[in-house]
Amino acid sequence: MFMAIANSNTLNLERVLTTLKSPAGITISASIIAAVLGAIDNGFYVIVNAIVTGGMWALVAMGLALVFGVMNVVSFVHGEFFMIGGLTAYFTFTPFSDYLMGNPNPLFEAVLPILAMVASVAAGVVVGILCELIVFRPLRNRTREQWVMNSFVITLGLSTFIVNSSQFILGTDFRGIVSYWNYPTLSFFDVYVSFDRFFVFILAMLILSAFWLFMRSSKFGRAIRAVSQDETGARMVGININGIQTLTLALSSALAALAGACLLFMYPAYPTVGLGPLYNSWFIVILAGMGNVAGAAVGAFIVALLQVLTTVYFGEGWEYTVPAACIILVLIIRPSGIFGSEVRGILNQ
Amino acid sequence: MENQLLLQVENLDSGYGFLQVLWNVSLSVAKGEYVCLVGPNGAGKSTFLKSVAGLVSPMAGRIDFSGNSISRLPGDKICRMGISYISEELNLFAGMTVQENLAMGAFTINDKRKIVENQDFVFELFPALKERRRQLAGTMSGGERKMLAIGRGLMSTPSLLLVDEPSLGLAPQTTAAVFRALDTLKQKEVTILLVEQNVTKTLQVTERGYVLEKGKIVLAGASTDLIQNEHVRKAYLGI
């Protein structure tokens, strides 16, 4: 849709109007208007907050959309990947951070948080591959009947297993950090943003673009899209379905783990920390349209804005209630989500 | 003769779960041949092609391709060995453009020059695809989608092409275009196994044929003989 506008050299007014009148156009324009009004009323920080958190939710939600689109798995274990990412970052970061207290080293201080994030991405990849090899592949080889329901229940079980293992091994302590970098706060348009948040936002944007490029133009990104559009067709052109499923789960859990690491200063890691991100990403995926990865990236910013505005006008306790109410509305008016579902057939099961 | 055989199927039983569709089917295709498998709806023609292409696992029997047994291989490995299957449902990637679909067809090829060469060949075969290279596959007409499916199947430089019902649901003109394309491929020495319901047309263009009824091969022979056969004339040609 946006491509259509970008491609035409002469901006066709009629085309712009139809775009604006589509559900996606209406939602996006309404969000922009809401953001502007909120910013006028409360200050620019509304927009800055929505964009910064939206970037991170986009990473989590895209992974969820991908897993649904490619593997047809309604995943409820996605939040646990977030938790594992947070824990890995914590255990990589804090020991060295304590060491740095006694032996200051500016270069190492600057690099250490990035190392922690890389470690959590690696942990995400490993956990994703393990889940595929130990849980999903045996089930897939056994039977594809009732796959959506079976795999959904299995993700619930996996989630319970990981949460309780974490509680059993590490206890229920909150493991968080105050900040990754002790750099001075930055200010944009009179809004103060900590360096951590700024960095996390830039990183999210970089990963989003890299991911988009990967899915558009790389051989394996295309193969992932091919499997989500027609699995039999993908097999017919020589794509190894099992390999693509593994790649997909590894990618999506790595994205969630990275988000968990990046947001460690906002969401300290504890066994059930994944619940919030899980709900959030489900809000986003349902709002955008099941399995629609690009839609999930845009939807993340809309849901983040919704939450920021809710917190401002209704109070912190309503953070999940208002988006959930909006999701119910969306499902009543447009069951396939505002950007439409890219998954065919699976909903007919 | 023996080592010229490209595809050799012996005593194949196949089907879905508890439902057996094919019974003791034997069929062979030699290199460069244009062979057809005809029969009524529900005879198991598509199941046969799917079993060869590795999308349905056979219950019993042998499937050999270039002397290697492929009956236990998954579909993607079989594609890599040089068999291209063009299904009745086409299985195109609806959300991708014509060009992207063709690129996916060449997934198993790493040589970029070879991919360009194959794509040029497909565009030469179906000029309509070249005009619509940026169009999404899901928005094209039935005939164009069929051409795209055949084109995608050709992108992997297959040595054997399995084509399922190319004339199904097409206007006569488009059907003729598809058959012309298959003829061109035949002249380029691509081996083709064609499955069709359009018996008259198929027996006119192919060299050899098999007739499948209720999951069993009931007749086999040169197409020119089959077209004269009493049973074929009665059951399929309405004479």
Side-chain angles (χ1 to χ4, degrees):
Chain A
M1 176 196 64
F2 294 102
M3 296 287 286
I5 298 177
N7 281 346
S8 64
N9 291 330
T10 52
L11 261 180
N12 190 334
L13 189 66
E14 207 173 316
R15 199 184 260 173
V16 174
L17 274 180
T18 37
T19 309
L20 280 179
K21 272 193 257 172
S22 70
I26 292 173
T27 324
I28 291 174
S29 351
S31 314
I32 293 173
I33 292 168
V36 170
L37 289 180
I40 292 171
D41 197 25
N42 280 283
F44 204 69
Y45 81 93
V46 171
I47 293 181
V48 173
N49 268 358
I51 289 178
V52 171
T53 45
M56 275 298 133
W57 292 150
L59 296 189
V60 186
M62 272 189 334
L64 195 65
L66 199 63
V67 163
F68 182 76
V70 178
M71 305 178 72
N72 293 330
V73 171
V74 176
S75 175
F76 271 70
V77 67
H78 207 59
E80 275 56 64
F81 299 145
F82 183 92
M83 184 255 293
I84 288 168
L87 281 176
T88 311
Y90 175 84
F91 285 115
T92 322
F93 181 75
T94 38
F96 291 110
S97 180
D98 290 346
Y99 166 81
L100 280 173
M101 293 283 223
N103 319 274
N105 177 345
L107 179 69
F108 191 46
E109 248 167 68
V111 177
L112 179 58
I114 297 171
L115 288 181
M117 289 169 195
V118 171
S120 55
V121 167
V125 168
V126 170
V127 173
I129 291 177
L130 285 180
C131 283
E132 157 70 13
L133 293 186
I134 299 175
V135 181
F136 294 111
R137 187 169 299 178
L139 177 65
R140 201 180 304 120
N141 290 342
R142 203 185 167 98
T143 173
R144 295 296 292 259
E145 269 172 53
Q146 297 288 324
W147 168 260
V148 174
M149 197 59 191
N150 286 342
S151 60
F152 159 67
V153 175
I154 275 193
T155 63
L156 279 182
L158 256 181
S159 160
T160 314
F161 174 77
I162 297 177
V163 166
N164 286 287
S165 309
S166 148
Q167 191 167 336
F168 181 69
I169 299 165
L170 300 168
T172 50
D173 294 345
F174 284 69
R175 292 169 206 274
I177 56 171
V178 181
S179 69
Y180 277 121
W181 286 280
N182 294 317
Y183 296 159
T185 305
L186 308 160
S187 88
F188 302 92
F189 305 98
D190 293 333
V191 185
Y192 291 93
V193 182
S194 72
F195 183 81
D196 281 23
R197 278 177 176 246
F198 176 71
F199 177 85
V200 159
F201 169 69
I202 298 292
L203 185 68
M205 290 301 115
L206 283 178
I207 304 261
L208 279 179
S209 340
F211 188 77
W212 192 80
L213 272 181
F214 170 74
M215 293 294 278
R216 281 280 134 191
S217 22
S218 82
K219 188 170 176 173
F220 285 97
R222 274 192 184 153
I224 289 179
R225 283 166 58 216
V227 174
S228 85
Q229 289 177 19
D230 197 313
E231 201 186 302
T232 310
R235 194 167 305 181
M236 276 157 47
V237 299
I239 296 170
N240 177 349
I241 305 289
N242 276 336
I244 292 298
Q245 311 266 23
T246 315
L247 175 66
T248 303
L249 196 59
L251 251 180
S252 90
S253 60
L255 285 176
L258 177 65
C262 287
L263 294 181
L264 192 59
F265 56 89
M266 280 169 73
Y267 294 83
Y270 60 98
T272 53
V273 68
L275 218 50
L278 176 73
Y279 286 167
N280 264 330
S281 30
W282 270 114
F283 291 158
I284 293 162
V285 168
I286 294 171
L287 181 82
M290 300 286 273
N292 186 333
V293 177
V298 181
F301 290 96
I302 296 175
V303 169
L305 176 73
L306 212 59
Q307 284 180 328
V308 171
L309 291 179
T310 311
T311 318
V312 172
Y313 289 101
F314 298 92
E316 193 109 18
W318 296 91
E319 196 187 0
Y320 292 105
T321 318
V322 173
C326 289
I327 302 305
I328 294 174
L329 268 182
V330 167
L331 284 180
I332 291 171
I333 300 167
R334 202 175 145 81
S336 59
I338 43 180
F339 301 105
S341 175
E342 282 184 350
V343 182
R344 295 183 306 150
I346 199 67
L347 298 172
N348 304 332
Q349 276 202 1
Chain B
M1 180 66 197
E2 197 61 32
N3 38 7
Q4 274 185 326
L5 282 183
L6 194 58
L7 178 73
Q8 187 167 24
V9 180
E10 273 171 21
N11 310 330
L12 178 75
D13 288 353
S14 188
Y16 311 87
F18 293 108
L19 180 70
Q20 186 168 348
V21 178
L22 296 178
W23 309 80
N24 206 21
V25 172
S26 298
L27 180 155
S28 64
V29 182
K31 207 165 190 165
E33 250 190 328
Y34 191 177
V35 178
C36 71
L37 178 65
V38 293
N41 235 334
K45 306 187 296 293
S46 296
T47 308
F48 178 80
L49 287 193
K50 281 183 185 155
S51 308
V52 175
L55 300 176
V56 171
S57 20
M59 295 163 170
R62 286 185 65 83
I63 305 176
D64 287 354
F65 179 66
S66 311
N68 302 307
S69 169
I70 58 166
S71 56
R72 296 276 157 237
L73 289 183
D76 54 294
K77 293 253 168 56
I78 289 177
C79 169
R80 278 169 196 276
M81 293 186 73
I83 296 183
S84 235
Y85 168 52
I86 291 136
S87 64
E88 197 180 335
E89 305 85 9
L90 305 184
N91 295 99
L92 292 172
F93 307 121
M96 293 191 195
T97 61
V98 168
Q99 191 141 29
E100 281 177 306
N101 267 284
L102 291 180
M104 288 316 303
F107 185 78
T108 52
I109 298 184
N110 289 320
D111 182 1
K112 286 224 169 76
R113 263 191 321 213
K114 185 75 195 154
I115 297 178
V116 173
E117 207 174 281
N118 286 355
Q119 185 178 298
D120 289 344
F121 175 66
V122 170
F123 283 157
E124 199 182 307
L125 201 61
F126 301 115
L129 291 182
K130 190 171 188 177
E131 286 163 31
R132 296 176 181 266
R133 61 211 287 177
R134 306 210 183 283
Q135 194 176 335
L136 290 183
T139 63
M140 300 207 302
S141 74
E144 290 159 355
R145 297 221 317 264
K146 193 119 345 180
M147 291 174 192
L148 178 56
I150 296 175
R152 189 184 68 178
L154 290 172
M155 287 296 289
S156 57
T157 347
S159 40
L160 173 64
L161 202 60
L162 309 173
V163 192
D164 200 352
E165 302 275 3
S167 75
L168 190 78
L170 289 192
Q173 275 176 327
T174 333
T175 309
V178 169
F179 272 104
R180 260 203 310 280
L182 291 178
D183 264 347
T184 316
L185 290 176
K186 156 75 191 146
Q187 274 148 32
K188 303 242 174 198
E189 291 181 352
V190 180
T191 313
I192 304 172
L193 175 57
L194 176 67
V195 155
E196 259 292 344
Q197 284 193 83
N198 186 344
V199 177
T200 328
K201 178 78 191 158
T202 310
L203 288 178
Q204 277 165 10
V205 297
T206 53
E207 296 163 349
R208 223 153 47 78
Y210 291 84
V211 181
L212 188 71
E213 281 175 16
K214 292 181 186 157
K216 290 172 184 153
I217 299 274
V218 293
L219 274 173
S223 297
T224 42
D225 294 342
L226 284 179
I227 214 163
Q228 302 295 335
N229 183 284
E230 186 112 3
H231 175 74
V232 173
R233 287 167 76 90
K234 258 196 198 139
Y236 302 102
L237 310 178
I239 306 168

